[in-house]
Amino acid sequence: MANLAILGGTRVVPENQPLYVRPWPPRDEATAEKLKELYMSGQWSFNSPMEQEFENEFAKYHGTKYAIFMANGTTTLECSLAALGVGPGDEVIVPALTWMATALSAFYVGANPVIVDIDPKTLCMDPAAMEAAITPRTKAIIPVHVYGSTADLEKILAIADKHGIPVVEDCAHMQGGFWNGRGVGSWGKVGSFSFQQSKTMASGEGGICITSDPELAEKIYLLKHIGYSRGVKQGQARHAPEGLICHNYRATAFQALILLEQLKGLHDLIETYGKHARLLTDLTKDIPGLRIQEPGRLANPQGYYSFHFIFDGEQYNGIDVKTINAACTAEGLGIPNGTHGPVYKHPLFNLKPGQFRFGTGNNCPVCEKIFPRTLGISHQVLTDENTMIKLAEILHKVTSNLDELRQYQASQNK
Ligand SMILES: *Cc1c(COP(=O)(O)O)cnc(C)c1O
């Protein structure tokens, strides 16, 4: 008789007692009532009071003077680069492990992304690889605070400052995260966040730039509002600065309201995620060959979009992480592989060599080696203590039955 549920053994989590995973996106009646009021008010867009309130609160939380709310977390990156004057002939350094938007934003402004490798422990951009990629053409650097870690802002900013290159933090995964006492996104020239449906704060779509530089704040605002300055009525429009080609990247007050409500609970939510991430780390630390993505060195609290396991001990040689996920799913809770991967290998990434380049060599070996060994749970799974305890039990069981895992995998490959 097999032990693993995937081979007919008894499940860790009985089928009729599913583990708690927070329903996502979060919804509540009080917010629905407020949305109705906002709808009836007719103040839906164009720098409405609700958008301004959300911008002010989000900036305050993360420690900047200004915030510019817009359509999504891709336009925020594009506008950040455009406001910094990045354009054709320039290069922008981005890490290999990220969503495509980070790299494509450089291309949208006519520049070329330069993709550099990641740190094997935090999975964020490796500062040394970043420094090695700098050339006279480098006009911006975009570190990404990925999954459940924070890029080493201290090291990255020291190198960037030495070379006089501005940093744009991609905080799409990191709402509410702090580094060395101040919010992420407040350390670079601009911080960019996404509120797409899956993110830690979610309004279907949405994004925000934060900065304390008044000139950048103004430019980013012009860029997203087709050239109107903040507070300018339609009839009083003036030309945007020479060369600043603006867009309509506005979001609506409805999204701002949903996010403002979520922001009120953000601190407690991040604390809960952190507590459960530490518990899960502790409960799985004696599993041989398994390690956890390390939180940022000076991150406190560390924000979480997801929590990642890395199965790169030799015990797992020949065992696909998909097999591990299938076995965990059969026990009662799946741990899917992330969607990001090495950005240049994503099926939708279609820049050609010449349109982008690698920092050094012709790939990013650390990212290519580690990504296929990772599995992660999304933040919604981090909300419940019992779910952590059961997940650890599942992992202990699955990783102590590696022969059965191999047997199952072989049967699948026939
Ligand atoms: C989601 C995401 C973005 C882009 O956000 P959208 O709102 O989907 O455009 C940018 N960077 C990273 C790392 C992301 O995960």
Side-chain angles (χ1 to χ4, degrees):
M1 180 69 189
N3 288 320
L4 293 180
I6 202 163
L7 290 171
T10 310
R11 293 164 54 111
V12 170
V13 182
E15 205 151 10
N16 59 358
Q17 294 166 32
L19 297 179
Y20 181 78
V21 172
R22 189 176 181 209
W24 202 260
R27 282 141 287 173
D28 64 83
E29 289 297 334
T31 305
E33 275 307 311
K34 289 183 180 171
L35 279 167
K36 185 176 166 191
E37 274 171 41
L38 179 66
Y39 169 75
M40 293 310 293
S41 80
Q43 294 186 305
W44 294 355
S45 181
F46 267 69
N47 203 28
S48 63
M50 187 58 71
E51 291 165 78
Q52 291 178 43
E53 188 178 348
F54 173 59
E55 288 177 326
N56 291 339
E57 293 302 317
F58 195 87
K60 197 159 73 182
Y61 192 110
H62 291 87
T64 60
K65 290 202 184 116
Y66 311 100
I68 307 95
F69 184 45
M70 63 180 97
N72 58 57
T74 303
T75 56
T76 49
L77 290 167
E78 182 191 337
C79 291
S80 303
L81 295 177
L84 287 165
V86 179
D90 296 338
E91 288 187 339
V92 178
I93 297 176
V94 304
L97 188 66
T98 187
W99 175 239
M100 291 190 297
T102 319
L104 290 180
S105 63
F107 203 70
Y108 294 151
V109 298
N112 303 107
V114 174
I115 302 175
V116 304
D117 218 335
I118 56 168
D119 176 274
K121 293 190 170 141
T122 65
L123 311 187
C124 296
M125 185 156 78
D126 174 1
M130 173 199 114
E131 184 159 33
I134 293 174
T135 72
R137 289 173 62 195
T138 313
K139 291 291 147 53
I141 297 171
I142 315 183
V144 179
H145 308 312
V146 78
Y147 300 156
S149 192
T150 309
D152 199 316
L153 285 165
E154 208 177 46
K155 289 184 186 158
I156 289 169
L157 287 167
I159 297 165
D161 287 350
K162 190 172 76 185
H163 294 269
I165 303 167
V167 167
V168 174
E169 292 173 68
D170 186 344
C171 310
H173 294 185
M174 215 43 60
Q175 291 84 0
F178 272 53
W179 171 271
N180 204 9
R182 211 171 70 220
V184 296
S186 72
W187 293 88
K189 290 276 180 231
V190 189
S192 160
F193 295 75
S194 163
F195 305 118
Q196 175 262 2
Q197 181 112 338
S198 73
K199 308 287 155 105
T200 315
M201 285 177 69
S203 55
E205 299 292 345
I208 203 165
C209 286
I210 60 174
T211 181
S212 289
D213 180 326
E215 219 171 289
L216 282 176
E218 166 73 359
K219 277 192 181 160
I220 293 169
Y221 189 88
L222 295 169
L223 280 159
K224 80 120 184 193
H225 200 7
I226 199 75
Y228 291 115
S229 211
R230 208 181 269 276
V232 167
K233 299 263 172 338
Q234 277 179 294
Q236 302 159 353
R238 294 208 195 103
H239 281 297
E242 183 75 31
L244 202 71
I245 307 301
C246 300
H247 307 267
N248 169 11
Y249 286 163
R250 293 184 297 266
T252 69
F254 302 108
Q255 293 150 290
L257 186 154
I258 291 169
L259 294 165
L260 189 60
E261 293 305 306
Q262 288 175 16
L263 189 61
K264 292 175 188 165
L266 184 65
H267 177 77
D268 288 349
L269 189 68
I270 298 295
E271 290 291 332
T272 302
Y273 288 168
K275 192 174 88 189
H276 291 157
R278 288 189 293 277
L279 176 64
L280 200 47
T281 304
D282 198 46
L283 292 174
T284 55
K285 68 172 187 283
D286 58 343
I287 296 180
L290 171 64
R291 60 192 181 96
I292 305 294
Q293 177 192 19
E294 277 185 15
R297 198 166 48 87
L298 301 177
N300 183 23
Q302 172 65 60
Y304 284 92
Y305 173 57
S306 54
F307 180 91
H308 276 256
F309 301 94
I310 307 165
F311 296 84
D312 62 357
E314 58 187 26
Q315 294 85 341
Y316 304 104
N317 283 353
I319 300 176
D320 198 319
V321 290
K322 288 199 183 81
T323 303
I324 299 173
N325 177 35
C328 292
T329 305
E331 298 297 341
L333 190 68
I335 314 177
N337 187 231
T339 51
H340 288 12
V343 61
Y344 51 90
K345 290 201 160 185
H346 194 286
L348 300 178
F349 182 84
N350 69 356
L351 299 189
K352 299 189 176 34
Q355 296 180 319
F356 77 98
R357 70 173 179 90
F358 292 101
T360 47
N362 52 12
N363 59 6
C364 293
V366 178
C367 187
E368 289 198 19
K369 188 160 169 244
I370 292 180
F371 179 71
R373 302 311 307 161
T374 67
L375 291 176
I377 47 169
S378 58
H379 58 93
Q380 305 93 284
V381 184
L382 285 175
T383 33
D384 182 65
E385 185 177 300
N386 181 56
T387 302
M388 302 300 100
I389 294 167
K390 289 292 173 193
L391 181 57
E393 233 178 273
I394 289 173
L395 280 164
H396 275 276
K397 181 175 170 191
V398 167
T399 55
S400 38
N401 285 281
L402 296 181
D403 288 344
E404 286 191 15
L405 267 188
R406 288 201 169 80
Q407 190 190 322
Y408 170 75
Q409 186 169 290
S411 75
Q412 292 302 296
N413 291 341
K414 264 197 209 124

